[in-house]
Amino acid sequence: MSDREKLRWQSDLALIADAAKEAGAVAYGFFNQSPEVWWKNGDRSPVSAADFAANKTLETILRKARPDYGWLSEETEDDEDRLSRETLFIVDPIDGTRAFLGGQKVWCVSVAVVHRGRPVAGVLYAPALEEFYEAVDGGVALKNGMPFTVSAAGPDEMSRLAIGEDLLKTFPPTFRDRVRREKYVPSLAYRIAMVADGRLEGTFVKGNSHDWDLAAADLVLACAGGGLVDLDGKPIVYNRADVTHKVLCAAPVPRIDEFLAAFAGRGDS
């Protein structure tokens, strides 16, 4: 990466950090205030007035500042123009809307800058938890300004995994016996951040996650010493025509092969 690119992504990080904080403040103003709710995706997914207000804040700030960047948001109708852009913003104004509407604190604003298919700047802001994660390509991951890394636990130690009970039961007993299953984390982006900061050793992501769920958290995890990969061990490519993904694994880099092998060795029980 050239010095010019480093400066560019650092400038973008400062921009999206400010935007995420503003959007987070807007969303937090609706928290525990019973905002109006609609349903999408065949009435399977809620979206609230808070999502739309936070999205508008992000779009107003970011698109004005970088009019040449593309745009992909969960709460904006997709525009194929983004496919012609080398660089774009990928945002989720509230990742964990169900938790938000239920009064749970585990939700966050997710904002990433993606260049040529990979995130180069990313932030996650969880206002109700007063937590702010940030990362820039080639840098270290920061949480509230302090650097952090993934867990150093090895394969012979107990592994804290965010994983469904039914899925865990199918893993080989030799692996399953060394797993402590953690309770459900409603925000996917925040769950990946928990792997990044060492509270979890790993998580498996069910199929049908989207670019906006993953892009910022992916970079935070990478800068903390982890990886978010598909079942072939390959990193995610963002800003394709199809923004959904198959099953993924997030873990410290030294543990990825172990977790993928365990997944591949599952049985029917």
Side-chain angles (χ1 to χ4, degrees), residues 115-194:
H115 179 67
R116 296 178 180 173
R118 289 295 300 163
V120 291
V123 299
L124 300 172
Y125 179 38
L129 297 171
E130 298 183 349
E131 294 178 358
F132 190 85
Y133 295 83
E134 59 187 299
V136 66
D137 189 23
V140 299
L142 301 176
K143 179 180 181 180
N144 293 348
M146 299 296 293
F148 62 88
T149 61
V150 294
S151 168
D156 295 330
E157 302 175 64
M158 291 296 290
S159 295
R160 299 159 296 178
L161 294 186
I163 185 173
E165 187 173 7
D166 289 346
L167 178 59
L168 181 59
K169 286 179 180 178
T170 68
F171 278 70
T174 52
F175 178 84
R176 194 169 63 231
D177 291 346
R178 290 181 285 106
V179 170
R180 188 173 78 203
R181 192 176 74 85
E182 297 296 324
K183 65 180 182 179
Y184 176 68
V185 181
S187 164
L188 174 53
Y190 190 82
R191 190 197 325 164
I192 295 170
M194 291 175 67

Side-chain angles (χ1 to χ4, degrees), residues 72 78 82 206-214 236-248:
L72 176 63
D78 195 7
R82 65 179 172 81
K206 293 180 180 179
N208 206 40
S209 61
H210 296 78
D211 279 10
W212 48 75
D213 302 312
L214 305 168
I236 296 172
V237 177
Y238 295 94
N239 195 32
R240 304 169 306 163
D242 182 0
V243 298
T244 61
H245 301 274
K246 296 181 179 179
V247 176
L248 305 170

Side-chain angles (χ1 to χ4, degrees), residues 49-160:
D51 295 84
F52 290 133
N55 189 66
K56 183 178 180 180
T57 299
L58 291 170
E59 192 164 9
T60 299
I61 295 170
L62 297 176
R63 301 195 83 169
K64 181 179 179 181
R66 302 285 191 272
D68 55 325
Y69 282 17
W71 179 262
L72 176 63
S73 167
E74 181 175 14
E75 309 307 346
T76 304
E77 185 175 354
D78 195 7
D79 182 352
E80 290 187 356
D81 172 73
R82 65 179 172 81
L83 298 173
S84 67
R85 308 295 180 111
E86 274 199 331
T87 310
L88 77 161
F89 298 110
I90 297 183
V91 313
D92 191 344
I94 299 180
D95 187 82
T97 298
R98 287 182 184 272
F100 177 92
L101 295 173
Q104 300 177 58
K105 294 182 177 182
V106 184
W107 55 273
C108 61
V109 180
S110 173
V111 186
V113 176
V114 167
H115 179 67
R116 296 178 180 173
R118 289 295 300 163
V120 291
V123 299
L124 300 172
Y125 179 38
L129 297 171
E130 298 183 349
E131 294 178 358
F132 190 85
Y133 295 83
E134 59 187 299
V136 66
D137 189 23
V140 299
L142 301 176
K143 179 180 181 180
N144 293 348
M146 299 296 293
F148 62 88
T149 61
V150 294
S151 168
D156 295 330
E157 302 175 64
M158 291 296 290
S159 295
R160 299 159 296 178

